[in-house]
Amino acid sequence: MAYVKNLFEQNFIQYASYVIRDRAIPEITDGLKPVQRRIIHTLIKIDDGRYVKVANVCGRTMAYHPHGDASIYTALVNLANRDLFIDKQGNYGNLLTGANAAAPRYIECRLRSITKEILNTNPRITQYIPTYDSRDVEPLAFQAKLPLVLILGAEGIAVGMSTKILSHNVLEIIEAERKCLRGEPFQLYPDFPTGGLIDVSDYQDGLGKIVTRAKMDTSDDKKIIITELPYGSTTESLCDSIEKAVKAGKLKIASIMDYTSDKVNIEIKLQRGVYTKDVVDALYAFTECEQTIYCNLLVIKDNMPVQMTCTQVIEYHSKQLVGILKAELELEKADLLEKLHLRTLERIFVEERIYKKIEQMKTEEDVVKAVIDGFKPFRKELLRDITVEDVDHLLKIPIRRISLYDINKNKQEVEAMNNRIKEINKLLKHLVEYAISYLDGIEKKLSSEDRKRKTQLTNIKTVDVKAVTKRDVPLRYDEKSGYLGKSVPGGVELFKVTPFDKILFVRKSGIYSVSETPDKLFVGPELRYCGFADKESLSKTLFTVLYRDPETQFVYIKRCKIQGFIMNRDYFFAPDGMEVLHVDSRKEFEFSLNYVKKPRLKVLTEKFKASDYEEKTLKAKGVRVSNKEVQTISVTK
């Protein structure tokens, strides 16, 4: 049993770790989930400038992503609709209406040129690991020069944790990274492709929450036009929510028409006698026109899930950008030095006719030795010692190239390489300035009208749903069946309610409860009281309870108000074991006690006024009305 338990725990931990790191939570280094990274890696490998069928891309990606083509296709469409890495052709759906993309065999895509500028794919900088079947390699994480986790956003649910990262404007991200490199303060707020309005007063730098609203044209008193959507909604889901609100009686509109194409255009016509100002708040309260989004910026950092802020992500990527640019410059410098070394070897090899010394050599070792010895007088001109690999390179030079060797061309190449090395050395001394200039270049390539901020920042006063809900639903009680609620078919209408009201009801037995407005609840016959359970109503309602002690047959009176309660819990007005005879909510009324007949008892009935007795607390015991045994009571109506 212990073995099975340990095995289960071990396997569960492995599963949880896999879901967290390899499926649901994005990596901070490149801001991508594994499926997104594998799609981009596939597109880089097959990139030839031409469009490729999405079905083909999905099939090739399956060599890296062992979860079927459905998840790959969905991720590719979502990534393509971000218009950053993938150039798309065909029907990729509609973000505004929620229309699905065409099947993968009908649509095409290719890699945008800017992808390779943002993502470093050099295996000498980016670490590559074997794929799941060890037949190929894939990047562990691209070295990204922009904080893609904030640009693309992400949403995922893992084992015991989740992430909700809102997308931000790429131009604002670049500006924030520039300011971070300069040491200047910066602040970021979400921006959504669907536009809309957002209130960021509770947005805590990537955490907290935002309130998002649809943008409306309310210039016409009898018509409302929705021109932009709140985050997370489509025109279809928004119209559905409005229709549901109309059916529930929360909105009064005549018609709703969706004319959306490349821009949102939902037209809402109002009923006769209803005006725009009467409907706007209800739209925000009962439909998707207003939504609250809770944020949680959770990423994988150093192979562990970590909660961060936008500021921390920008700071992390600013350092990463400088590090990547430095590594690229150092690699380029090393390659240039190696190339310069080979050009110097070739020049000396040809100019000094060192190749003539190998003509009489009979063995390979003698040939190599002859070449190395031939370079000894020119050691000071070389950047490093000559190696066997260098000799092999020289011996592979064709005779035609030696005979047509152009010294001037060689000098020009060497001069160009030396100039570039000087430039690299200068850039390495001013890496921050170089990083800022890189961001300037990326911004120029990305700047366009489509990439400007779409979501408008504003202060939103949240609509109180209860305040805009009218009490127009009848609450009915059927004495015969004993049912209370909105859906009770017969009986008597007690009063009008809303779905948000709390209702207090007192049963015949003296037990009272508080619940949300019931749909159909059995409370029994002879309901003693039913009313609202808000503070104002309870403070005004004084309950008078008449109860009898079964042992002595004495009747007690108790007058009190209900000050506190727990929802859907039963309470008893009288002490335990007592028999409740009557509960009344009137402040003044008369009641009579009918005594048990006894030989010396002359007065069998006696009247009392409820107002003669003082109000007490709910937990207090009642006051004995008479020291005679009571058979029945009667109350004046």
Side-chain angles (χ1 to χ4, degrees):
M1 188 68 183
Y3 169 76
V4 174
K5 182 180 178 182
N6 292 336
L7 183 66
F8 174 80
E9 289 178 352
Q10 182 180 357
N11 290 343
F12 182 77
I13 290 171
Q14 290 178 356
Y15 166 75
S17 301
Y18 171 76
V19 172
I20 292 168
R21 292 186 293 111
D22 295 333
R23 292 191 71 175
I25 313 299
E27 167 69 45
I28 187 174
T29 309
D30 58 8
L32 301 172
K33 293 183 181 181
V35 65
Q36 296 172 321
R37 188 179 302 114
R38 287 160 179 162
I39 290 169
I40 293 173
H41 174 61
T42 301
L43 287 171
I44 290 172
K45 288 195 70 175
I46 66 175
D47 182 39
D48 59 1
R50 297 183 296 176
Y51 285 103
V52 184
K53 288 285 187 183
V54 167
N56 190 3
V57 177
C58 292
R60 289 173 179 261
T61 306
M62 286 176 68
Y64 310 101
H65 192 69
H67 297 289
D69 59 346
S71 61
I72 298 171
Y73 163 68
T74 303
L76 191 152
V77 169
N78 291 335
L79 196 59
N81 283 327
R82 297 298 300 164
D83 291 325
L84 183 62
F85 293 132
I86 299 175
D87 187 8
K88 57 190 180 181
Q89 182 171 270
N91 177 16
Y92 273 75
N94 192 321
L95 288 175
L96 302 178
T97 64
N100 294 326
R105 62 185 179 275
Y106 298 125
I107 55 179
E108 297 176 324
C109 68
R110 65 182 176 186
L111 201 69
R112 289 182 183 268
S113 58
I114 200 168
T115 304
K116 294 179 181 179
E117 294 186 43
I118 296 175
L119 301 176
N120 183 285
T121 59
N122 191 328
R124 294 152 73 184
I125 296 176
T126 299
Q127 182 183 354
Y128 284 75
I129 57 173
T131 57
Y132 68 94
D133 58 2
S134 300
R135 285 195 170 101
D136 204 344
V137 293
E138 61 177 324
L140 181 63
F142 289 115
Q143 295 297 306
K145 296 173 185 174
L146 292 179
L148 300 177
V149 72
L150 296 180
I151 297 171
L152 300 175
E155 185 173 356
I157 299 174
V159 179
M161 60 185 65
S162 64
T163 186
K164 180 77 171 181
I165 306 171
L166 302 182
S167 60
H168 295 69
N169 185 275
V170 63
L171 301 180
E172 293 179 5
I173 290 285
I174 292 173
E175 179 61 23
E177 200 162 359
R178 265 200 302 254
K179 287 184 177 181
C180 183
L181 289 167
R182 295 190 188 114
E184 300 173 2
F186 61 90
Q187 199 163 24
L188 285 170
Y189 297 115
D191 185 32
F192 310 120
T194 54
L197 309 172
I198 58 168
D199 185 344
V200 294
S201 55
D202 290 327
Y203 186 65
Q204 301 165 16
D205 201 16
L207 306 174
K209 67 177 182 180
I210 64 163
V211 178
T212 174
R213 275 184 176 178
K215 198 170 186 179
M216 300 180 186
D217 180 359
T218 57
S219 56
D220 191 330
D221 284 343
K222 297 297 295 179
K223 184 170 64 176
I224 298 173
I225 298 176
I226 298 174
T227 57
E228 292 181 13
L229 298 174
Y231 171 73
S233 294
T234 63
T235 57
E236 184 178 355
S237 66
L238 189 65
C239 290
D240 285 345
S241 69
I242 294 173
E243 288 173 359
K244 288 178 181 177
V246 172
K247 288 179 181 178
K250 298 172 182 176
L251 282 175
K252 293 181 179 179
I253 66 172
S255 65
I256 176 170
M257 299 298 293
D258 185 3
Y259 300 112
T260 301
S261 54
D262 59 331
K263 292 184 179 180
V264 176
N265 187 352
I266 300 175
E267 184 180 282
I268 302 172
K269 290 185 178 179
L270 307 181
Q271 293 180 1
R272 184 177 297 177
V274 180
Y275 298 94
T276 299
K277 58 183 178 62
D278 304 322
V279 177
V280 170
D281 284 347
L283 281 171
Y284 289 138
F286 302 118
T287 73
E288 286 188 7
C289 288
E290 177 180 308
Q291 296 191 65
T292 300
I293 310 295
Y294 292 88
C295 317
N296 184 32
L297 208 166
L298 186 74
V299 295
I300 301 296
K301 180 184 177 186
D302 300 328
N303 214 29
M304 292 289 290
V306 178
Q307 190 181 64
M308 301 181 72
T309 63
C310 291
T311 301
Q312 291 171 336
V313 172
I314 294 294
E315 290 171 350
Y316 177 91
H317 272 274
S318 298
K319 293 177 183 177
Q320 181 170 288
L321 173 62
V322 172
I324 295 170
L325 294 177
K326 180 181 178 182
E328 289 179 346
L329 289 172
E330 288 176 341
L331 278 178
E332 185 184 356
K333 180 181 176 182
D335 290 340
L336 285 171
L337 289 172
E338 182 63 21
K339 195 174 180 181
L340 188 61
H341 172 71
L342 293 177
R343 291 291 180 271
T344 305
L345 287 177
E346 291 172 2
R347 178 181 60 79
I348 296 171
F349 186 68
V350 176
E351 283 184 346
E352 303 301 331
R353 298 179 180 274
I354 294 175
Y355 57 89
K356 290 287 186 180
K357 297 180 181 181
I358 67 175
E359 293 177 352
Q360 305 299 323
M361 303 301 167
K362 296 182 179 180
T363 64
E364 186 178 347
E365 290 80 6
D366 292 339
V367 171
V368 173
K369 186 176 183 304
V371 174
I372 293 175
D373 291 343
F375 275 94
K376 285 182 179 179
F378 311 101
R379 175 65 186 86
K380 291 183 179 180
E381 296 183 43
L382 302 179
L383 297 178
R384 59 171 174 78
D385 291 335
I386 188 171
T387 64
V388 176
E389 288 76 15
D390 294 336
V391 174
D392 186 57
H393 170 77
L394 293 171
L395 295 177
K396 289 180 180 178
I397 299 176
I399 296 297
R400 174 184 287 272
R401 187 176 163 197
I402 292 175
S403 61
L404 297 176
Y405 187 74
D406 190 339
I407 295 176
N408 290 329
K409 183 180 179 182
N410 182 277
K411 286 182 179 179
Q412 289 174 1
E413 289 180 0
V414 169
E415 185 180 359
M417 285 187 279
N418 281 323
N419 289 337
R420 178 55 183 165
I421 289 171
K422 289 179 183 178
E423 187 180 347
I424 289 173
N425 288 332
K426 185 178 179 182
L427 292 174
L428 286 170
K429 291 179 181 178
H430 303 87
L431 280 172
V432 173
E433 291 81 357
Y434 177 48
I436 292 173
S437 66
Y438 165 81
L439 292 172
D440 292 340
I442 290 291
E443 184 181 34
K444 287 180 182 178
K445 293 179 181 180
L446 291 175
S447 291
S448 67
E449 193 67 27
D450 291 340
R451 296 196 184 275
K452 290 184 178 179
R453 168 168 278 277
K454 294 182 173 65
T455 306
Q456 181 182 336
L457 301 177
T458 185
N459 292 322
I460 294 175
K461 186 177 180 181
T462 306
V463 177
D464 185 358
V465 177
K466 297 178 182 179
V468 298
T469 306
K470 295 181 179 179
R471 283 178 171 160
D472 53 5
V473 179
L475 183 72
R476 309 181 73 87
Y477 172 64
D478 189 348
E479 179 74 33
K480 294 180 180 179
S481 64
Y483 279 99
L484 172 73
K486 299 177 293 182
S487 302
V488 176
V492 180
E493 180 183 323
L494 301 180
F495 46 84
K496 303 282 189 181
V497 296
T498 74
F500 307 102
D501 286 326
K502 295 176 182 177
I503 304 299
L504 168 68
F505 52 89
V506 183
R507 295 181 174 92
K508 177 184 178 182
S509 60
I511 294 175
Y512 69 89
S513 301
V514 177
S515 72
E516 299 287 350
T517 305
D519 190 53
K520 188 176 181 181
L521 178 68
F522 182 77
V523 295
E526 298 183 39
L527 186 67
R528 299 298 188 185
Y529 173 84
C530 184
F532 294 112
D534 55 84
K535 289 184 179 180
E536 184 179 356
S537 299
L538 292 179
S539 64
K540 295 179 180 178
T541 307
L542 178 65
F543 290 97
T544 302
V545 183
L546 297 170
Y547 64 89
R548 180 170 57 189
D549 188 338
E551 293 183 1
T552 63
Q553 297 295 306
F554 294 157
V555 168
Y556 295 80
I557 186 172
K558 175 180 175 181
R559 308 194 82 195
C560 60
K561 290 180 180 179
I562 298 174
Q563 297 177 337
F565 54 84
I566 297 174
M567 296 288 291
N568 302 311
R569 179 174 172 179
D570 290 340
Y571 295 91
F572 194 46
F573 272 118
D576 290 342
M578 299 293 109
E579 177 190 2
V580 174
L581 302 176
H582 182 71
V583 178
D584 208 307
S585 59
R586 293 176 293 176
K587 290 185 178 180
E588 295 184 6
F589 66 93
E590 294 182 352
F591 61 94
S592 301
L593 300 184
N594 302 315
Y595 300 126
V596 176
K597 291 183 180 180
K598 288 195 174 181
R600 295 182 181 180
L601 188 61
K602 295 181 179 179
V603 179
L604 296 178
T605 301
E606 192 173 359
K607 286 186 177 182
F608 299 89
K609 288 184 178 180
S611 57
D612 292 341
Y613 297 88
E614 295 182 358
E615 177 186 338
K616 293 191 174 183
T617 62
L618 187 62
K619 293 183 179 180
K621 292 183 179 181
V623 177
R624 189 167 62 185
V625 180
S626 173
N627 58 357
K628 300 180 180 67
E629 296 179 12
V630 177
Q631 187 172 10
T632 59
I633 67 168
S634 55
V635 180
T636 57
K637 294 183 179 180

